[in-house]
């Protein structure tokens, strides 16, 4: 499980093959877009929460190739289908998940 703010793994290539360099540059470009998307989405979430994102959903939301996004997410967290990110304190997030939601006066649940 990764922590917010998230940093997506990048790759480097020190050789002179332009085709390989282009492939690495594309990987890093998409990794940056995925990183920006996840951090922007997590910024809107409440503190002390655990959030899960599926690779195909990330790919759809950033408009990039699903296989490449899956490769990037896997390189970052080794999740087979996505990534789990904790925002804030892990123990508080787990406690928040296990406790029932509080009831407001009008009967709706509050966070």
């Amino acid at each position: 499980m990764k922590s917010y703010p998230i940093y997506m793994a990048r790759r480097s290539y020190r050789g002179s093959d332009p085709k390989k360099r282009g492939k690495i540059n594309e990987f890093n470009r998409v990794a940056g877009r995925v990183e920006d998307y996840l951090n922007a989405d997590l910024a809107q979430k409440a503190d002390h929460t655990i959030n899960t994102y599926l690779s195909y959903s990330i790919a759809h939301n950033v408009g990039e190739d699903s296989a490449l996004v899956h490769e990037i997410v896997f390189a970052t967290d080794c999740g087979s289908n996505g990534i789990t990110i904790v925002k804030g304190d892990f123990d508080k997030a787990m406690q928040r998940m296990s406790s029932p939601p509080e009831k407001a006066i009008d009967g709706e649940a509050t966070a």
Side-chain angles (χ1 to χ4, degrees):
M1 183 179 311
K2 294 296 181 181
S3 297
Y4 172 77
I6 189 73
Y7 175 78
M8 302 309 287
R10 303 300 205 282
R11 293 184 176 167
S12 63
Y13 175 70
R14 299 172 74 177
S16 60
D17 185 336
K19 187 174 181 178
K20 289 180 183 177
R21 178 166 289 146
K23 190 173 182 178
I24 294 299
N25 288 343
E26 177 67 2
F27 181 95
N28 292 338
R29 182 191 67 78
V30 174
R33 292 204 58 210
V34 170
E35 180 180 299
D36 291 344
Y37 165 74
L38 291 174
N39 284 325
D41 190 62
L42 285 163
Q44 300 172 12
K45 307 278 184 181
D47 286 339
H48 314 303
T49 56
I50 296 175
N51 304 277
T52 303
Y53 296 89
L54 298 174
S55 296
Y56 74 87
S57 178
I58 296 169
H60 174 75
N61 289 330
V62 298
E64 296 290 348
D65 178 60
S66 184
L68 181 56
V69 170
H70 177 77
E71 184 179 347
I72 291 165
V73 169
F74 185 83
T76 301
D77 195 34
C78 296
S80 60
N81 290 319
I83 189 168
T84 303
I85 305 166
V86 64
K87 181 178 180 187
D89 183 73
F90 176 77
D91 292 330
K92 289 180 182 178
M94 291 303 291
Q95 183 180 18
R96 186 177 190 181
M97 285 181 61
S98 64
S99 62
E102 297 176 18
K103 295 288 181 178
I105 295 173
D106 60 3
E108 292 188 24
T110 59

